[in-house]
Amino acid sequence: MLQQTRVDTVMPYFERFLARFPTPLALAEAPEDQVLAAWSGLGYYRRARMLHAGARVVADRAEMPRDREGLLELPGVGRYTAGAIASIAFEEPVGLVDGNVARVFARIFALEDDMRRAGMKRAEALAEELVPAKKPGDWNQALMELGATICTPRAPACERCPVASSCRARAEGRVDELPVMGEKAKPKPQRVQALVARTKDGRVLLARRQSSGLFAGLWEPPSIDGDESAGDELFGRFALASRALAGRVTHVLSHRRLTVDVHAAVLSKRPAGSALPAAYEALDLFDEAALDGLGISKLARKILAAAREAAASPGPLFDPKMPRARETGRRARARQS
Ligand code: SF4
């Protein structure tokens, strides 16, 4: 849970998750829908699916691997996670490098390589070389903590640093220059058309994504990539008499910046599963009250909120050429205030 997510955000999720799935066996036996629902709101759902798959392997073997090599065989466990579990839980003297440790090493050893590329390999080699045989878990946690609390990206507290006397970056007055970080690829813009279709009694149509790819296994209003004309295909599949543009939401993923046109429509009957585009494997109608128990992405929640907001304040139809007119979300509210 902590990968890409802050500790204070994770805490309540962690506690709820452990209460719901207290053992690897409990997690292994749970249906994927329930695991995704317990993860809902944390994002990066691939982690939940991998954790679930890993629990199933552990349950099948009736044994948790106790060293890095064995841990690396579990689904979703990479070098960093394997090193953390092996050293902290089982005292195996193996190193690990996360962003914090990479920064600490780059400064202490004045590493010149790009830490997004070759520099990371150099840091990993140093981590292996330096980790002590005694209390390797404490060592690794101390390094991560040093990077998180003292040797921070901006304004590191060198005057309080316990390794200041060994730090080359400090001695050479180059703390602000290190680590060297190459350009990150910018997220690519992508248009999406989403359909929030409700029955007359208020149930909403959701579709579940296939088990691999973006938002795998999650429920969402059926969507299709592309501009309005691409959306016609989706709406044609559901044979809708009419639809109204209800708003627009934006959502940034690591590689993509999504701009989603949200369309509202009324369903006269339950559509057949064959209406779904290839990205989905199932569809169903849900009461609003049931949505909390489902694995739903943050983007899907934004789309549903935009449709709800539009329904609550009927007015002139949203004009896609004037995105600010009914743009929803925090940014729109900030602009309006
Ligand atoms: S002296 Fe400063 S730059 Fe060097 S490791 Fe400590 S906090 Fe980081």
Side-chain angles (χ1 to χ4, degrees), residues 87-258:
S87 64
I88 297 169
F90 302 122
E91 302 231 339
E92 187 186 7
V94 290
L96 61 82
V97 180
D98 67 351
N100 287 321
V101 177
R103 183 170 57 255
V104 169
F105 282 168
R107 287 173 175 164
I108 293 179
F109 298 101
L111 304 181
E112 305 288 350
D113 295 319
D114 178 355
M115 293 310 282
R116 291 197 206 279
R117 295 173 180 88
M120 203 61 177
K121 287 272 162 246
R122 181 83 187 96
E124 281 172 4
L126 279 167
E128 291 302 318
E129 219 173 280
L130 296 171
V131 66
K134 215 172 147 195
K135 299 201 171 179
D138 286 2
W139 168 269
N140 283 333
Q141 290 186 77
L143 276 175
M144 290 190 279
E145 209 54 23
L146 180 63
T149 60
I150 304 276
C151 193
T152 48
R154 280 171 291 282
C158 298
E159 65 293 342
R160 290 193 289 122
C161 176
V163 294
S165 61
S166 313
C167 179
R168 272 187 63 186
R170 187 174 200 217
E172 296 170 11
R174 301 175 57 213
V175 171
D176 294 340
E177 293 166 28
L178 296 170
V180 176
M181 300 295 272
E183 279 286 298
K184 224 182 182 178
K186 280 200 180 134
K188 288 196 181 129
Q190 185 177 316
R191 280 284 292 283
V192 178
Q193 308 296 314
L195 172 65
V196 180
R198 290 178 190 279
T199 55
K200 291 209 174 73
D201 62 3
R203 285 176 302 155
V204 64
L205 176 73
L206 297 182
R208 188 169 62 205
R209 289 262 183 176
Q210 298 280 5
S211 55
S212 62
L214 190 64
F215 301 128
L218 298 179
W219 291 91
E220 63 182 24
S223 308
I224 195 162
D225 292 349
D227 57 16
E228 293 89 345
S229 57
D232 289 343
E233 182 207 325
L234 176 68
F235 311 124
R237 282 168 173 270
F238 291 102
L240 295 166
S242 65
R243 62 179 198 263
L245 205 46
R248 174 176 286 166
V249 298
T250 56
H251 192 70
V252 182
L253 302 165
S254 50
H255 301 299
R256 286 183 246 189
R257 175 184 293 276
L258 307 179

Side-chain angles (χ1 to χ4, degrees), residues 52-80:
H52 192 209
R56 288 184 164 173
V57 173
V58 170
D60 276 353
R61 295 182 184 172
E63 186 178 48
M64 177 78 182
R66 300 179 73 85
D67 61 14
R68 182 166 66 184
E69 287 313 302
L71 288 159
L72 279 168
E73 289 171 11
L74 297 179
V77 175
R79 207 175 161 74
Y80 164 75

